[in-house]
Amino acid sequence: MKKRIVVACGAGLATSTMILQKVEEFVKELGVSCSITQSQIYELDFYDGEADLFITSMKLDQSKYKTPIVVGTPFLIGLNEDVLKEQIKQILLN
Amino acid sequence: MYVEENLVFYNQRFETQSQLFDFIADELEEKNYVTEQFREAIKIREHNFPTGLQLQNLNVALVHTDVEYSKTEKLVIIKLEKPITFKNIETLKPLEVDFIIGLILKDSHKHLEVLQRVSRLLQNEDIIQEIRQASSHVELTILMQDYFNKKEKEI
């Protein structure tokens, strides 16, 4: 089954684009077949429960969402990328 | 040309975030690069969705707003004389920012290219170091123009 990932930031314009570029590279590396959508944070309700993973620029309250959320900022700034990659891997491979 | 000499500012001093945004809006309006609504739109966007990034050795704000307020593709580069308080994009906690990159985005295809370059810059410790060390307008301009204006294959 294809995994569905939504990458979201405030505008769904700049930071999510930068995060998305790195996510695409990483899931390719993982060899997991994914469809990746870009959105604005306040549109996430629409994908909640449907998507397998949300990757956001801002920390969100996980208790408000069914879909697991990770913060994608490490992909923006290049720090702690390994931790983030491990989290994504765990979620997608489970 | 994403980076124009007259949109690179060295040692610019602002007391507040609002002053900074007014300055950026004044410069961009004068060149007819943004619409009248840009000024308010960029302030509101930063308020609702902060853009402060804490890099290893530099705190950067990637200020931007929707494409409908832009008339072109440009970057505004500002090295601040003293830090301005922004909020961290991730934690929303206060962050003292030293360096501003204003993303004036219009065309979605060109977006990808310029955003990819910004993304690489944030992760390139050598360039960050050079930004920190740049000690004049000319130096900062040449550094940024070399990085952003050259062709893809040369990066």
Side-chain angles (χ1 to χ4, degrees), chain A residues 3-9 12 16 19-20 23 34-41 43-57 60 67-70 72 92:
Chain A
K3 297 284 182 179
R4 185 156 188 208
I5 303 175
V6 181
V7 181
C9 70
S16 55
I19 293 171
L20 187 126
V23 173
C34 292
S35 75
I36 309 177
T37 311
Q38 191 172 6
S39 96
Q40 302 184 16
I41 279 176
E43 292 172 336
L44 285 178
D45 286 347
F46 178 74
Y47 299 102
D48 193 28
E50 301 289 320
D52 297 287
L53 172 64
F54 290 156
I55 302 177
T56 60
S57 58
L60 297 178
T67 296
I69 307 169
V70 296
L92 292 182

PDB file of all heavy atoms in Angstrom, chain A residues 3-9 12 16 19-20 23 34-41 43-57 60 67-70 72 92:
ATOM      1  N   LYS A   3       1.996   4.776   0.985  1.00  0.00           N
ATOM      2  CA  LYS A   3       1.848   5.590   2.193  1.00  0.00           C
ATOM      3  C   LYS A   3       1.545   7.024   1.785  1.00  0.00           C
ATOM      4  O   LYS A   3       2.057   7.522   0.784  1.00  0.00           O
ATOM      5  CB  LYS A   3       3.148   5.563   3.003  1.00  0.00           C
ATOM      6  CG  LYS A   3       3.526   4.189   3.503  1.00  0.00           C
ATOM      7  CD  LYS A   3       2.664   3.792   4.673  1.00  0.00           C
ATOM      8  CE  LYS A   3       3.090   2.419   5.203  1.00  0.00           C
ATOM      9  NZ  LYS A   3       2.302   2.012   6.359  1.00  0.00           N
ATOM     10  N   ARG A   4       0.710   7.663   2.597  1.00  0.00           N
ATOM     11  CA  ARG A   4       0.353   9.033   2.262  1.00  0.00           C
ATOM     12  C   ARG A   4       0.951  10.006   3.289  1.00  0.00           C
ATOM     13  O   ARG A   4       0.673   9.917   4.474  1.00  0.00           O
ATOM     14  CB  ARG A   4      -1.165   9.150   2.243  1.00  0.00           C
ATOM     15  CG  ARG A   4      -1.613  10.495   1.787  1.00  0.00           C
ATOM     16  CD  ARG A   4      -3.011  10.426   1.233  1.00  0.00           C
ATOM     17  NE  ARG A   4      -3.332  11.708   0.642  1.00  0.00           N
ATOM     18  CZ  ARG A   4      -4.558  12.178   0.544  1.00  0.00           C
ATOM     19  NH1 ARG A   4      -5.581  11.468   0.981  1.00  0.00           N
ATOM     20  NH2 ARG A   4      -4.778  13.358  -0.010  1.00  0.00           N
ATOM     21  N   ILE A   5       1.771  10.905   2.801  1.00  0.00           N
ATOM     22  CA  ILE A   5       2.422  11.883   3.673  1.00  0.00           C
ATOM     23  C   ILE A   5       1.928  13.284   3.318  1.00  0.00           C
ATOM     24  O   ILE A   5       1.800  13.616   2.140  1.00  0.00           O
ATOM     25  CB  ILE A   5       3.961  11.854   3.485  1.00  0.00           C
ATOM     26  CG1 ILE A   5       4.508  10.449   3.742  1.00  0.00           C
ATOM     27  CG2 ILE A   5       4.647  12.871   4.392  1.00  0.00           C
ATOM     28  CD1 ILE A   5       5.996  10.304   3.462  1.00  0.00           C
ATOM     29  N   VAL A   6       1.628  14.086   4.330  1.00  0.00           N
ATOM     30  CA  VAL A   6       1.288  15.487   4.076  1.00  0.00           C
ATOM     31  C   VAL A   6       2.351  16.361   4.748  1.00  0.00           C
ATOM     32  O   VAL A   6       2.622  16.214   5.931  1.00  0.00           O
ATOM     33  CB  VAL A   6      -0.114  15.852   4.619  1.00  0.00           C
ATOM     34  CG1 VAL A   6      -0.437  17.313   4.313  1.00  0.00           C
ATOM     35  CG2 VAL A   6      -1.179  14.939   4.031  1.00  0.00           C
ATOM     36  N   VAL A   7       2.973  17.233   3.945  1.00  0.00           N
ATOM     37  CA  VAL A   7       3.966  18.173   4.465  1.00  0.00           C
ATOM     38  C   VAL A   7       3.292  19.536   4.557  1.00  0.00           C
ATOM     39  O   VAL A   7       2.772  20.043   3.567  1.00  0.00           O
ATOM     40  CB  VAL A   7       5.200  18.258   3.540  1.00  0.00           C
ATOM     41  CG1 VAL A   7       6.226  19.224   4.121  1.00  0.00           C
ATOM     42  CG2 VAL A   7       5.833  16.884   3.352  1.00  0.00           C
ATOM     43  N   ALA A   8       3.270  20.115   5.762  1.00  0.00           N
ATOM     44  CA  ALA A   8       2.501  21.351   5.935  1.00  0.00           C
ATOM     45  C   ALA A   8       3.296  22.452   6.626  1.00  0.00           C
ATOM     46  O   ALA A   8       4.090  22.191   7.525  1.00  0.00           O
ATOM     47  CB  ALA A   8       1.252  21.064   6.764  1.00  0.00           C
ATOM     48  N   CYS A   9       3.055  23.686   6.181  1.00  0.00           N
ATOM     49  CA  CYS A   9       3.600  24.852   6.881  1.00  0.00           C
ATOM     50  C   CYS A   9       2.525  25.933   6.861  1.00  0.00           C
ATOM     51  O   CYS A   9       1.409  25.702   6.399  1.00  0.00           O
ATOM     52  CB  CYS A   9       4.889  25.341   6.244  1.00  0.00           C
ATOM     53  SG  CYS A   9       4.696  26.100   4.628  1.00  0.00           S
ATOM     54  N   GLY A  12       1.848  26.862   3.243  1.00  0.00           N
ATOM     55  CA  GLY A  12       1.899  25.763   2.270  1.00  0.00           C
ATOM     56  C   GLY A  12       2.695  26.184   1.047  1.00  0.00           C
ATOM     57  O   GLY A  12       2.452  25.730  -0.063  1.00  0.00           O
ATOM     58  N   SER A  16       7.356  24.474   3.599  1.00  0.00           N
ATOM     59  CA  SER A  16       6.924  23.111   3.271  1.00  0.00           C
ATOM     60  C   SER A  16       7.564  22.634   1.968  1.00  0.00           C
ATOM     61  O   SER A  16       7.848  21.454   1.813  1.00  0.00           O
ATOM     62  CB  SER A  16       5.397  22.996   3.216  1.00  0.00           C
ATOM     63  OG  SER A  16       4.859  23.933   2.338  1.00  0.00           O
ATOM     64  N   ILE A  19      11.040  21.491   2.937  1.00  0.00           N
ATOM     65  CA  ILE A  19      10.994  20.224   3.674  1.00  0.00           C
ATOM     66  C   ILE A  19      10.639  19.087   2.710  1.00  0.00           C
ATOM     67  O   ILE A  19      11.235  18.019   2.727  1.00  0.00           O
ATOM     68  CB  ILE A  19       9.980  20.303   4.841  1.00  0.00           C
ATOM     69  CG1 ILE A  19      10.476  21.300   5.896  1.00  0.00           C
ATOM     70  CG2 ILE A  19       9.752  18.927   5.471  1.00  0.00           C
ATOM     71  CD1 ILE A  19       9.467  21.623   6.992  1.00  0.00           C
ATOM     72  N   LEU A  20       9.667  19.354   1.850  1.00  0.00           N
ATOM     73  CA  LEU A  20       9.203  18.339   0.899  1.00  0.00           C
ATOM     74  C   LEU A  20      10.328  17.809   0.014  1.00  0.00           C
ATOM     75  O   LEU A  20      10.416  16.605  -0.241  1.00  0.00           O
ATOM     76  CB  LEU A  20       8.090  18.941   0.037  1.00  0.00           C
ATOM     77  CG  LEU A  20       7.383  17.978  -0.902  1.00  0.00           C
ATOM     78  CD1 LEU A  20       5.875  18.054  -0.663  1.00  0.00           C
ATOM     79  CD2 LEU A  20       7.641  18.303  -2.358  1.00  0.00           C
ATOM     80  N   VAL A  23      12.124  15.325   2.042  1.00  0.00           N
ATOM     81  CA  VAL A  23      11.302  14.135   2.328  1.00  0.00           C
ATOM     82  C   VAL A  23      11.280  13.223   1.095  1.00  0.00           C
ATOM     83  O   VAL A  23      11.422  12.006   1.209  1.00  0.00           O
ATOM     84  CB  VAL A  23       9.863  14.535   2.731  1.00  0.00           C
ATOM     85  CG1 VAL A  23       8.977  13.302   2.854  1.00  0.00           C
ATOM     86  CG2 VAL A  23       9.873  15.308   4.040  1.00  0.00           C
ATOM     87  N   CYS A  34       5.366   6.292  -1.728  1.00  0.00           N
ATOM     88  CA  CYS A  34       4.592   7.307  -1.004  1.00  0.00           C
ATOM     89  C   CYS A  34       3.947   8.288  -1.955  1.00  0.00           C
ATOM     90  O   CYS A  34       4.502   8.594  -3.007  1.00  0.00           O
ATOM     91  CB  CYS A  34       5.515   8.137  -0.117  1.00  0.00           C
ATOM     92  SG  CYS A  34       6.209   7.239   1.256  1.00  0.00           S
ATOM     93  N   SER A  35       2.796   8.804  -1.553  1.00  0.00           N
ATOM     94  CA  SER A  35       2.298   9.992  -2.242  1.00  0.00           C
ATOM     95  C   SER A  35       2.435  11.140  -1.250  1.00  0.00           C
ATOM     96  O   SER A  35       2.053  11.016  -0.086  1.00  0.00           O
ATOM     97  CB  SER A  35       0.859   9.810  -2.694  1.00  0.00           C
ATOM     98  OG  SER A  35      -0.007   9.920  -1.603  1.00  0.00           O
ATOM     99  N   ILE A  36       3.045  12.207  -1.689  1.00  0.00           N
ATOM    100  CA  ILE A  36       3.328  13.320  -0.783  1.00  0.00           C
ATOM    101  C   ILE A  36       2.536  14.550  -1.221  1.00  0.00           C
ATOM    102  O   ILE A  36       2.589  14.958  -2.378  1.00  0.00           O
ATOM    103  CB  ILE A  36       4.832  13.652  -0.766  1.00  0.00           C
ATOM    104  CG1 ILE A  36       5.650  12.371  -0.519  1.00  0.00           C
ATOM    105  CG2 ILE A  36       5.137  14.689   0.309  1.00  0.00           C
ATOM    106  CD1 ILE A  36       7.156  12.567  -0.542  1.00  0.00           C
ATOM    107  N   THR A  37       1.769  15.090  -0.289  1.00  0.00           N
ATOM    108  CA  THR A  37       0.952  16.267  -0.569  1.00  0.00           C
ATOM    109  C   THR A  37       1.498  17.435   0.242  1.00  0.00           C
ATOM    110  O   THR A  37       1.971  17.242   1.358  1.00  0.00           O
ATOM    111  CB  THR A  37      -0.508  16.011  -0.110  1.00  0.00           C
ATOM    112  OG1 THR A  37      -0.922  14.760  -0.627  1.00  0.00           O
ATOM    113  CG2 THR A  37      -1.440  17.104  -0.598  1.00  0.00           C
ATOM    114  N   GLN A  38       1.394  18.624  -0.326  1.00  0.00           N
ATOM    115  CA  GLN A  38       1.829  19.828   0.379  1.00  0.00           C
ATOM    116  C   GLN A  38       0.585  20.592   0.807  1.00  0.00           C
ATOM    117  O   GLN A  38      -0.359  20.710   0.027  1.00  0.00           O
ATOM    118  CB  GLN A  38       2.654  20.662  -0.587  1.00  0.00           C
ATOM    119  CG  GLN A  38       3.380  21.806   0.038  1.00  0.00           C
ATOM    120  CD  GLN A  38       4.328  22.456  -0.951  1.00  0.00           C
ATOM    121  OE1 GLN A  38       4.352  22.118  -2.132  1.00  0.00           O
ATOM    122  NE2 GLN A  38       5.098  23.413  -0.481  1.00  0.00           N
ATOM    123  N   SER A  39       0.569  21.084   2.028  1.00  0.00           N
ATOM    124  CA  SER A  39      -0.635  21.805   2.444  1.00  0.00           C
ATOM    125  C   SER A  39      -0.320  22.892   3.461  1.00  0.00           C
ATOM    126  O   SER A  39       0.815  23.053   3.901  1.00  0.00           O
ATOM    127  CB  SER A  39      -1.678  20.833   3.003  1.00  0.00           C
ATOM    128  OG  SER A  39      -1.604  20.754   4.403  1.00  0.00           O
ATOM    129  N   GLN A  40      -1.365  23.618   3.832  1.00  0.00           N
ATOM    130  CA  GLN A  40      -1.246  24.604   4.905  1.00  0.00           C
ATOM    131  C   GLN A  40      -1.634  23.911   6.208  1.00  0.00           C
ATOM    132  O   GLN A  40      -2.424  22.977   6.193  1.00  0.00           O
ATOM    133  CB  GLN A  40      -2.192  25.776   4.641  1.00  0.00           C
ATOM    134  CG  GLN A  40      -1.916  26.442   3.316  1.00  0.00           C
ATOM    135  CD  GLN A  40      -2.770  27.672   3.077  1.00  0.00           C
ATOM    136  OE1 GLN A  40      -3.363  28.219   3.994  1.00  0.00           O
ATOM    137  NE2 GLN A  40      -2.818  28.111   1.839  1.00  0.00           N
ATOM    138  N   ILE A  41      -1.092  24.408   7.310  1.00  0.00           N
ATOM    139  CA  ILE A  41      -1.338  23.739   8.592  1.00  0.00           C
ATOM    140  C   ILE A  41      -2.830  23.646   8.907  1.00  0.00           C
ATOM    141  O   ILE A  41      -3.319  22.617   9.334  1.00  0.00           O
ATOM    142  CB  ILE A  41      -0.525  24.424   9.714  1.00  0.00           C
ATOM    143  CG1 ILE A  41       0.917  23.881   9.645  1.00  0.00           C
ATOM    144  CG2 ILE A  41      -1.126  24.148  11.098  1.00  0.00           C
ATOM    145  CD1 ILE A  41       1.900  24.494  10.586  1.00  0.00           C
ATOM    146  N   GLU A  43      -5.209  23.227   7.028  1.00  0.00           N
ATOM    147  CA  GLU A  43      -5.925  22.260   6.177  1.00  0.00           C
ATOM    148  C   GLU A  43      -5.727  20.817   6.662  1.00  0.00           C
ATOM    149  O   GLU A  43      -6.291  19.887   6.085  1.00  0.00           O
ATOM    150  CB  GLU A  43      -5.413  22.319   4.736  1.00  0.00           C
ATOM    151  CG  GLU A  43      -5.750  23.598   4.000  1.00  0.00           C
ATOM    152  CD  GLU A  43      -5.040  23.681   2.652  1.00  0.00           C
ATOM    153  OE1 GLU A  43      -3.976  23.037   2.468  1.00  0.00           O
ATOM    154  OE2 GLU A  43      -5.541  24.385   1.774  1.00  0.00           O
ATOM    155  N   LEU A  44      -4.908  20.641   7.703  1.00  0.00           N
ATOM    156  CA  LEU A  44      -4.566  19.274   8.111  1.00  0.00           C
ATOM    157  C   LEU A  44      -5.770  18.475   8.586  1.00  0.00           C
ATOM    158  O   LEU A  44      -5.805  17.255   8.422  1.00  0.00           O
ATOM    159  CB  LEU A  44      -3.473  19.279   9.190  1.00  0.00           C
ATOM    160  CG  LEU A  44      -2.054  19.581   8.693  1.00  0.00           C
ATOM    161  CD1 LEU A  44      -1.078  19.600   9.856  1.00  0.00           C
ATOM    162  CD2 LEU A  44      -1.599  18.555   7.647  1.00  0.00           C
ATOM    163  N   ASP A  45      -6.763  19.139   9.159  1.00  0.00           N
ATOM    164  CA  ASP A  45      -7.976  18.452   9.606  1.00  0.00           C
ATOM    165  C   ASP A  45      -8.561  17.589   8.492  1.00  0.00           C
ATOM    166  O   ASP A  45      -9.075  16.512   8.717  1.00  0.00           O
ATOM    167  CB  ASP A  45      -9.050  19.465  10.029  1.00  0.00           C
ATOM    168  CG  ASP A  45      -8.702  20.086  11.372  1.00  0.00           C
ATOM    169  OD1 ASP A  45      -7.792  19.539  12.051  1.00  0.00           O
ATOM    170  OD2 ASP A  45      -9.317  21.104  11.735  1.00  0.00           O
ATOM    171  N   PHE A  46      -8.462  18.136   7.303  1.00  0.00           N
ATOM    172  CA  PHE A  46      -9.015  17.485   6.128  1.00  0.00           C
ATOM    173  C   PHE A  46      -8.344  16.133   5.857  1.00  0.00           C
ATOM    174  O   PHE A  46      -8.965  15.199   5.374  1.00  0.00           O
ATOM    175  CB  PHE A  46      -8.827  18.433   4.938  1.00  0.00           C
ATOM    176  CG  PHE A  46      -9.303  17.897   3.633  1.00  0.00           C
ATOM    177  CD1 PHE A  46     -10.663  17.807   3.354  1.00  0.00           C
ATOM    178  CD2 PHE A  46      -8.388  17.472   2.662  1.00  0.00           C
ATOM    179  CE1 PHE A  46     -11.102  17.310   2.142  1.00  0.00           C
ATOM    180  CE2 PHE A  46      -8.828  16.968   1.451  1.00  0.00           C
ATOM    181  CZ  PHE A  46     -10.179  16.891   1.197  1.00  0.00           C
ATOM    182  N   TYR A  47      -7.045  16.040   6.164  1.00  0.00           N
ATOM    183  CA  TYR A  47      -6.293  14.805   5.891  1.00  0.00           C
ATOM    184  C   TYR A  47      -6.196  13.905   7.117  1.00  0.00           C
ATOM    185  O   TYR A  47      -5.680  12.797   7.051  1.00  0.00           O
ATOM    186  CB  TYR A  47      -4.871  15.153   5.453  1.00  0.00           C
ATOM    187  CG  TYR A  47      -4.786  15.982   4.205  1.00  0.00           C
ATOM    188  CD1 TYR A  47      -4.527  17.354   4.265  1.00  0.00           C
ATOM    189  CD2 TYR A  47      -4.961  15.398   2.946  1.00  0.00           C
ATOM    190  CE1 TYR A  47      -4.442  18.122   3.116  1.00  0.00           C
ATOM    191  CE2 TYR A  47      -4.876  16.158   1.797  1.00  0.00           C
ATOM    192  CZ  TYR A  47      -4.617  17.524   1.889  1.00  0.00           C
ATOM    193  OH  TYR A  47      -4.537  18.276   0.753  1.00  0.00           O
ATOM    194  N   ASP A  48      -6.674  14.413   8.260  1.00  0.00           N
ATOM    195  CA  ASP A  48      -6.447  13.699   9.515  1.00  0.00           C
ATOM    196  C   ASP A  48      -7.102  12.322   9.504  1.00  0.00           C
ATOM    197  O   ASP A  48      -8.274  12.173   9.164  1.00  0.00           O
ATOM    198  CB  ASP A  48      -6.968  14.531  10.691  1.00  0.00           C
ATOM    199  CG  ASP A  48      -6.464  13.979  12.013  1.00  0.00           C
ATOM    200  OD1 ASP A  48      -5.385  13.368  12.017  1.00  0.00           O
ATOM    201  OD2 ASP A  48      -7.149  14.170  13.032  1.00  0.00           O
ATOM    202  N   GLY A  49      -6.326  11.317   9.903  1.00  0.00           N
ATOM    203  CA  GLY A  49      -6.845   9.955   9.934  1.00  0.00           C
ATOM    204  C   GLY A  49      -6.704   9.266   8.586  1.00  0.00           C
ATOM    205  O   GLY A  49      -6.621   8.049   8.506  1.00  0.00           O
ATOM    206  N   GLU A  50      -6.659  10.038   7.505  1.00  0.00           N
ATOM    207  CA  GLU A  50      -6.505   9.481   6.153  1.00  0.00           C
ATOM    208  C   GLU A  50      -5.021   9.304   5.826  1.00  0.00           C
ATOM    209  O   GLU A  50      -4.624   8.303   5.254  1.00  0.00           O
ATOM    210  CB  GLU A  50      -7.113  10.425   5.108  1.00  0.00           C
ATOM    211  CG  GLU A  50      -8.583  10.732   5.290  1.00  0.00           C
ATOM    212  CD  GLU A  50      -9.439   9.524   4.961  1.00  0.00           C
ATOM    213  OE1 GLU A  50      -9.106   8.828   3.985  1.00  0.00           O
ATOM    214  OE2 GLU A  50     -10.418   9.277   5.690  1.00  0.00           O
ATOM    215  N   ALA A  51      -4.240  10.310   6.195  1.00  0.00           N
ATOM    216  CA  ALA A  51      -2.802  10.268   5.888  1.00  0.00           C
ATOM    217  C   ALA A  51      -2.079   9.395   6.906  1.00  0.00           C
ATOM    218  O   ALA A  51      -2.542   9.216   8.033  1.00  0.00           O
ATOM    219  CB  ALA A  51      -2.231  11.678   5.896  1.00  0.00           C
ATOM    220  N   ASP A  52      -0.931   8.857   6.491  1.00  0.00           N
ATOM    221  CA  ASP A  52      -0.132   8.023   7.394  1.00  0.00           C
ATOM    222  C   ASP A  52       0.817   8.849   8.240  1.00  0.00           C
ATOM    223  O   ASP A  52       1.273   8.419   9.284  1.00  0.00           O
ATOM    224  CB  ASP A  52       0.686   7.020   6.569  1.00  0.00           C
ATOM    225  CG  ASP A  52      -0.215   6.075   5.808  1.00  0.00           C
ATOM    226  OD1 ASP A  52      -0.804   5.203   6.447  1.00  0.00           O
ATOM    227  OD2 ASP A  52      -0.356   6.244   4.574  1.00  0.00           O
ATOM    228  N   LEU A  53       1.150  10.036   7.735  1.00  0.00           N
ATOM    229  CA  LEU A  53       2.131  10.855   8.441  1.00  0.00           C
ATOM    230  C   LEU A  53       1.978  12.328   8.073  1.00  0.00           C
ATOM    231  O   LEU A  53       1.812  12.662   6.903  1.00  0.00           O
ATOM    232  CB  LEU A  53       3.551  10.372   8.059  1.00  0.00           C
ATOM    233  CG  LEU A  53       4.744  11.198   8.537  1.00  0.00           C
ATOM    234  CD1 LEU A  53       4.838  11.203  10.059  1.00  0.00           C
ATOM    235  CD2 LEU A  53       6.042  10.632   7.944  1.00  0.00           C
ATOM    236  N   PHE A  54       2.027  13.186   9.088  1.00  0.00           N
ATOM    237  CA  PHE A  54       2.111  14.634   8.856  1.00  0.00           C
ATOM    238  C   PHE A  54       3.525  15.083   9.197  1.00  0.00           C
ATOM    239  O   PHE A  54       4.054  14.727  10.253  1.00  0.00           O
ATOM    240  CB  PHE A  54       1.157  15.409   9.774  1.00  0.00           C
ATOM    241  CG  PHE A  54      -0.301  15.243   9.476  1.00  0.00           C
ATOM    242  CD1 PHE A  54      -1.241  15.465  10.469  1.00  0.00           C
ATOM    243  CD2 PHE A  54      -0.742  14.913   8.200  1.00  0.00           C
ATOM    244  CE1 PHE A  54      -2.604  15.333  10.211  1.00  0.00           C
ATOM    245  CE2 PHE A  54      -2.106  14.779   7.918  1.00  0.00           C
ATOM    246  CZ  PHE A  54      -3.036  14.989   8.938  1.00  0.00           C
ATOM    247  N   ILE A  55       4.118  15.864   8.316  1.00  0.00           N
ATOM    248  CA  ILE A  55       5.415  16.474   8.624  1.00  0.00           C
ATOM    249  C   ILE A  55       5.189  17.986   8.585  1.00  0.00           C
ATOM    250  O   ILE A  55       4.792  18.532   7.561  1.00  0.00           O
ATOM    251  CB  ILE A  55       6.494  16.051   7.608  1.00  0.00           C
ATOM    252  CG1 ILE A  55       6.618  14.515   7.598  1.00  0.00           C
ATOM    253  CG2 ILE A  55       7.845  16.693   7.950  1.00  0.00           C
ATOM    254  CD1 ILE A  55       7.597  13.976   6.582  1.00  0.00           C
ATOM    255  N   THR A  56       5.397  18.650   9.709  1.00  0.00           N
ATOM    256  CA  THR A  56       5.032  20.070   9.791  1.00  0.00           C
ATOM    257  C   THR A  56       6.225  20.940  10.160  1.00  0.00           C
ATOM    258  O   THR A  56       7.220  20.462  10.708  1.00  0.00           O
ATOM    259  CB  THR A  56       3.950  20.285  10.870  1.00  0.00           C
ATOM    260  OG1 THR A  56       4.463  19.855  12.139  1.00  0.00           O
ATOM    261  CG2 THR A  56       2.694  19.495  10.570  1.00  0.00           C
ATOM    262  N   SER A  57       6.114  22.234   9.872  1.00  0.00           N
ATOM    263  CA  SER A  57       7.191  23.169  10.224  1.00  0.00           C
ATOM    264  C   SER A  57       7.046  23.616  11.670  1.00  0.00           C
ATOM    265  O   SER A  57       7.980  24.110  12.271  1.00  0.00           O
ATOM    266  CB  SER A  57       7.143  24.389   9.305  1.00  0.00           C
ATOM    267  OG  SER A  57       5.888  25.020   9.417  1.00  0.00           O
ATOM    268  N   LEU A  60       2.883  20.734  16.645  1.00  0.00           N
ATOM    269  CA  LEU A  60       1.432  20.722  16.838  1.00  0.00           C
ATOM    270  C   LEU A  60       1.093  19.784  17.985  1.00  0.00           C
ATOM    271  O   LEU A  60       1.886  18.928  18.352  1.00  0.00           O
ATOM    272  CB  LEU A  60       0.723  20.249  15.559  1.00  0.00           C
ATOM    273  CG  LEU A  60       0.891  21.120  14.325  1.00  0.00           C
ATOM    274  CD1 LEU A  60       0.171  20.493  13.145  1.00  0.00           C
ATOM    275  CD2 LEU A  60       0.354  22.525  14.568  1.00  0.00           C
ATOM    276  N   THR A  67      -3.557  11.218  12.908  1.00  0.00           N
ATOM    277  CA  THR A  67      -2.352  10.926  12.126  1.00  0.00           C
ATOM    278  C   THR A  67      -1.103  11.326  12.913  1.00  0.00           C
ATOM    279  O   THR A  67      -1.085  12.412  13.498  1.00  0.00           O
ATOM    280  CB  THR A  67      -2.411  11.716  10.793  1.00  0.00           C
ATOM    281  OG1 THR A  67      -3.518  11.238  10.030  1.00  0.00           O
ATOM    282  CG2 THR A  67      -1.138  11.566   9.985  1.00  0.00           C
ATOM    283  N   PRO A  68      -0.089  10.453  12.941  1.00  0.00           N
ATOM    284  CA  PRO A  68       1.141  10.831  13.654  1.00  0.00           C
ATOM    285  C   PRO A  68       1.828  12.046  13.018  1.00  0.00           C
ATOM    286  O   PRO A  68       1.834  12.177  11.786  1.00  0.00           O
ATOM    287  CB  PRO A  68       2.029   9.588  13.538  1.00  0.00           C
ATOM    288  CG  PRO A  68       1.353   8.649  12.629  1.00  0.00           C
ATOM    289  CD  PRO A  68      -0.042   9.106  12.370  1.00  0.00           C
ATOM    290  N   ILE A  69       2.374  12.881  13.890  1.00  0.00           N
ATOM    291  CA  ILE A  69       2.994  14.127  13.413  1.00  0.00           C
ATOM    292  C   ILE A  69       4.471  14.151  13.797  1.00  0.00           C
ATOM    293  O   ILE A  69       4.816  13.849  14.938  1.00  0.00           O
ATOM    294  CB  ILE A  69       2.338  15.362  14.073  1.00  0.00           C
ATOM    295  CG1 ILE A  69       0.817  15.332  13.882  1.00  0.00           C
ATOM    296  CG2 ILE A  69       2.915  16.665  13.500  1.00  0.00           C
ATOM    297  CD1 ILE A  69       0.090  16.371  14.729  1.00  0.00           C
ATOM    298  N   VAL A  70       5.333  14.520  12.854  1.00  0.00           N
ATOM    299  CA  VAL A  70       6.721  14.822  13.207  1.00  0.00           C
ATOM    300  C   VAL A  70       7.037  16.240  12.728  1.00  0.00           C
ATOM    301  O   VAL A  70       6.436  16.735  11.778  1.00  0.00           O
ATOM    302  CB  VAL A  70       7.744  13.830  12.586  1.00  0.00           C
ATOM    303  CG1 VAL A  70       7.523  12.420  13.125  1.00  0.00           C
ATOM    304  CG2 VAL A  70       7.694  13.845  11.075  1.00  0.00           C
ATOM    305  N   GLY A  72       9.326  18.793  10.875  1.00  0.00           N
ATOM    306  CA  GLY A  72      10.285  18.654   9.770  1.00  0.00           C
ATOM    307  C   GLY A  72      11.413  19.665   9.766  1.00  0.00           C
ATOM    308  O   GLY A  72      12.228  19.680   8.840  1.00  0.00           O
ATOM    309  N   LEU A  92       6.591   4.971   8.891  1.00  0.00           N
ATOM    310  CA  LEU A  92       6.241   4.459   7.563  1.00  0.00           C
ATOM    311  C   LEU A  92       6.373   2.935   7.464  1.00  0.00           C
ATOM    312  O   LEU A  92       5.637   2.298   6.725  1.00  0.00           O
ATOM    313  CB  LEU A  92       7.115   5.111   6.485  1.00  0.00           C
ATOM    314  CG  LEU A  92       6.878   6.597   6.254  1.00  0.00           C
ATOM    315  CD1 LEU A  92       7.773   7.088   5.136  1.00  0.00           C
ATOM    316  CD2 LEU A  92       5.417   6.886   5.929  1.00  0.00           C
TER     317      LEU A  92
END
